[in-house]
Amino acid sequence: AGKGNAGKTKKKWSKGKVQDKANNAVFFNAETLAKLEKEVPTYKLITPSVLVDRMRINGSLARRALRELETRGSIRLVSAHNSQLIYTRATAPVTAEA
């Protein structure tokens, strides 16, 4: 009675999944800026996370870009809850919402 695990090798634990480092841009180059001004106002849902994902820019850059586009009137703010800002494309001015 004592050799319950005889012959088996000890279980090796995996190191876990290693995620690749996101190498996002920390400032705008002419190409990214042009893409931002052209494409972003056509998106239906615009958040900093969406910009980070699609434009490969970092989060602080995405927030600044959204603020700039809003002041120009290219996009409009739908909801600002803590740090999650939700914008949509600028359409005709919305009258009293029910």
Side-chain angles (χ1 to χ4, degrees):
K3 292 188 177 178
N5 231 4
K8 290 185 181 172
T9 55
K10 188 169 182 273
K11 184 178 186 312
K12 298 269 192 288
W13 289 95
S14 71
K15 296 283 189 281
K17 290 185 178 142
V18 178
Q19 195 172 16
D20 291 333
K21 173 104 173 69
N23 191 13
N24 292 341
V26 291
F27 52 86
F28 282 117
N29 56 18
E31 185 184 319
T32 314
L33 194 59
K35 186 177 176 187
L36 177 97
E37 290 168 348
K38 181 174 176 276
E39 291 181 15
V40 173
T42 64
Y43 296 165
K44 193 163 176 68
L45 172 75
I46 309 165
T47 64
S49 318
V50 168
L51 291 195
V52 167
D53 198 39
R54 295 185 189 173
M55 301 277 169
R56 296 276 169 249
I57 56 179
N58 71 6
S60 57
L61 205 56
R63 289 192 302 273
R64 293 284 293 271
L66 289 176
R67 247 178 277 142
E68 177 64 28
L69 287 172
E70 187 186 15
T71 56
R72 289 187 198 171
S74 306
I75 61 176
R76 75 182 170 89
L77 185 66
V78 176
S79 168
H81 183 269
N82 290 0
S83 59
Q84 189 59 35
L85 303 162
I86 301 172
Y87 294 88
T88 190
R89 52 186 173 217
T91 52
V94 180
T95 53
E97 291 183 23

